[in-house]
Amino acid sequence: MKIVLGADQYPEYINGAATFTARLAAGLADAGHTVDLLWPSADGGHDTYLDRGVRVHRLSSVTLPGRPRMQVCLPPTTRRRVENVLHVARPDVVHVQSHLGLGRTLVRAARRDGVPVLATNHFMPENLLHHVPVVRRFPRTAGRLAWRDLERVYDDADLISVPTRRAADLLAASTTLRPAEVVSCGIDLDRFAVSRTLEATSRPSLLFVGRLEQEKHVDELLTAFAHLPRSLGARLEVVGMGSLRSSLEALTRSLGIEDSVRFLGAVDDDELPAAYGRADVFVMPGTAELQSIATLEAMATGLPVVAADAMALPHLVQDGVNGRLYAPGDARALAVALAQLLVDPVLRARLGRGSRTRAQAHSLSATLEEFVGHYSRLVGSRSAGRLPGRSLALAS
């Protein structure tokens, strides 16, 4: 098939949606499909090139005010580029990853051309609103308006997908859109396979991977880390970038833990398995996770996970089976859970095996197969004359 993918998240601003989109595009191309991928340019300019068999279109973008590392596409200036790509690519199906500037432009252009649209939702208002100062003081009102905006765009999609059942429930509770299909983002299980031993390490290591933004609550992790007994000799590695890095580094100094905490910034995708391999415990304190690819990757490497009991994380982490859950915001409870694992290598090994087992249900190959199946049914519906049409429901 000929497939056009579009995402408002882009590789340089590392997050789960961008990571998933890149892996989906490469996997589809490897399977023999023709893939065009559209996302914002990191430097504002327009460019087109081939990457791993994918024809990549970096569209003109502007910097979000107050967020120098965040680029966004504006619909009026993006529309012509999007229409040109659709005209040349002549796709069988369009798959968007968001409802923002580029996503909504692509949905509307596809509808005009009669091309079926699959829309995946990775969005929660909490992931976006704190980046926009003008609405930060009115989070509830802004959140409702954000959901209404998503609903207007995704109502024109023929099929909607989400990565977890919790994400499906949230979408149903927040919008009047029809039920979404659940398709895990998936990961390459072989790539994240790590051999681990039962030997106790002299300095057990904790790991966090993710954006350094408000909803990830890395400050909570640092506070909990400061509560750990110094006799444990624990280390913490923080992988990721974001607007809060400097303030989080200042917090480590004020807590007196700067000698035990390393901020590694963004690491290359090829270096990630090594980061997981150095760790003994993975920590995810985020409260706005519709799945959490980083947590899935950690599980695939056989790491026990300590996670906030929030949003979709309990779908991945089962207390006592592959990790520990704690009440969000309770840094002392987080510290207790971390200490339990850090002092007990046997427990870590057992929970790590549980992580690896639970990760098996989220293989990238299965995800690709599911999406290709959905694409095929959408194409079949168009051929049968049932498209275009609004909010087409398809059986799984």
Side-chain angles (χ1 to χ4, degrees), residues 254-278:
S254 68
L255 292 171
I257 56 175
E258 66 271 23
D259 291 340
S260 300
V261 179
R262 295 177 64 204
F263 287 86
L264 301 181
V267 303
D268 188 89
D269 201 43
D270 293 333
E271 299 173 16
L272 265 180
Y276 292 118
R278 290 192 300 268

Side-chain angles (χ1 to χ4, degrees), residues 147-161:
W147 281 121
R148 296 290 82 76
D149 185 47
L150 179 144
E151 185 176 330
R152 283 192 294 270
V153 177
Y154 275 20
D155 191 45
D156 276 335
D158 299 292
L159 184 65
I160 299 171
S161 77

Side-chain angles (χ1 to χ4, degrees), residues 197-206 225 228-236 260 278-280 341-345 348:
T197 67
L198 193 57
E199 297 177 6
T201 54
S202 58
R203 293 202 68 186
S205 179
L206 305 174
F225 185 80
L228 294 175
R230 295 299 174 93
S231 59
L232 289 176
R235 297 177 296 117
L236 169 62
S260 300
R278 290 192 300 268
D280 296 291
L341 270 63
L342 290 174
V343 301
D344 192 339
R348 292 201 304 268

Side-chain angles (χ1 to χ4, degrees), residues 118-350:
L118 193 158
T120 295
N121 184 46
H122 305 275
F123 172 79
M124 288 180 61
E126 291 82 353
N127 291 327
L128 178 65
L129 297 184
H130 70 273
H131 294 293
V132 186
V134 71
V135 301
R136 201 177 294 158
R137 291 185 298 166
F138 311 100
R140 291 187 179 180
T141 299
R144 287 195 297 270
L145 292 174
W147 281 121
R148 296 290 82 76
D149 185 47
L150 179 144
E151 185 176 330
R152 283 192 294 270
V153 177
Y154 275 20
D155 191 45
D156 276 335
D158 299 292
L159 184 65
I160 299 171
S161 77
V162 290
T164 61
R165 174 50 52 193
R166 181 67 183 90
D169 293 341
L170 177 65
L171 192 66
S174 305
T175 72
T176 61
L177 294 168
R178 55 174 170 68
E181 299 286 343
V182 177
V183 184
S184 173
C185 289
I187 56 169
D188 185 339
L189 295 173
D190 293 335
R191 183 167 168 270
F192 289 97
V194 172
S195 297
R196 298 186 180 276
T197 67
L198 193 57
E199 297 177 6
T201 54
S202 58
R203 293 202 68 186
S205 179
L206 305 174
L207 175 67
F208 166 84
V209 176
R211 289 177 296 109
L212 305 185
E213 301 293 352
Q214 178 180 325
E215 71 273 16
K216 298 295 184 179
H217 302 291
V218 180
D219 57 333
E220 188 175 295
L221 169 56
L222 294 173
T223 302
F225 185 80
H227 287 318
L228 294 175
R230 295 299 174 93
S231 59
L232 289 176
R235 297 177 296 117
L236 169 62
E237 288 193 345
V238 178
V239 172
M241 57 185 238
S243 63
L244 298 184
R245 175 166 176 170
S246 60
S247 63
L248 292 170
E249 289 176 327
L251 179 60
T252 65
R253 293 190 291 272
S254 68
L255 292 171
I257 56 175
E258 66 271 23
D259 291 340
S260 300
V261 179
R262 295 177 64 204
F263 287 86
L264 301 181
V267 303
D268 188 89
D269 201 43
D270 293 333
E271 299 173 16
L272 265 180
Y276 292 118
R278 290 192 300 268
D280 296 291
V281 178
F282 184 78
V283 193
M284 177 48 69
T287 55
E289 305 294 322
L290 289 183
Q291 182 162 52
S292 181
I293 290 178
T295 302
L296 266 178
E297 291 171 346
M299 289 167 57
T301 68
L303 279 175
V305 180
V306 177
D309 190 1
M311 284 307 299
L313 290 176
H315 286 256
L316 298 179
V317 182
Q318 186 175 349
D319 201 283
V321 174
N322 69 311
R324 290 280 187 261
L325 295 171
Y326 72 96
D330 192 339
R332 289 195 176 273
L334 173 55
V336 169
L338 294 175
Q340 288 175 344
L341 270 63
L342 290 174
V343 301
D344 192 339
V346 175
L347 176 62
R348 292 201 304 268
R350 178 175 67 80

Side-chain angles (χ1 to χ4, degrees), residues 28-39:
L28 290 170
D30 287 344
H33 302 285
T34 300
V35 181
D36 284 80
L37 171 58
L38 293 80
W39 46 26

Side-chain angles (χ1 to χ4, degrees), residues 21-106:
T21 305
R23 292 175 181 173
L24 175 65
L28 290 170
D30 287 344
H33 302 285
T34 300
V35 181
D36 284 80
L37 171 58
L38 293 80
W39 46 26
S41 167
D43 59 10
H46 176 79
D47 193 16
T48 299
Y49 54 89
L50 281 175
D51 181 20
R52 297 178 59 184
V54 177
R55 192 161 48 199
V56 180
H57 308 267
R58 303 304 296 266
L59 303 189
S60 301
S61 63
V62 298
T63 303
L64 189 68
R67 297 288 173 172
R69 294 190 63 88
M70 291 188 68
Q71 298 293 124
V72 295
C73 289
L74 300 179
T77 57
T78 304
R79 186 180 67 181
R80 189 178 67 170
R81 296 286 190 184
V82 167
E83 290 173 347
N84 286 344
V85 170
L86 293 183
H87 177 73
V88 173
R90 298 193 178 279
D92 298 303
V93 66
V94 164
H95 184 176
V96 299
Q97 308 298 322
S98 72
H99 68 291
L100 303 175
L102 176 54
R104 73 182 56 217
T105 304
L106 189 50

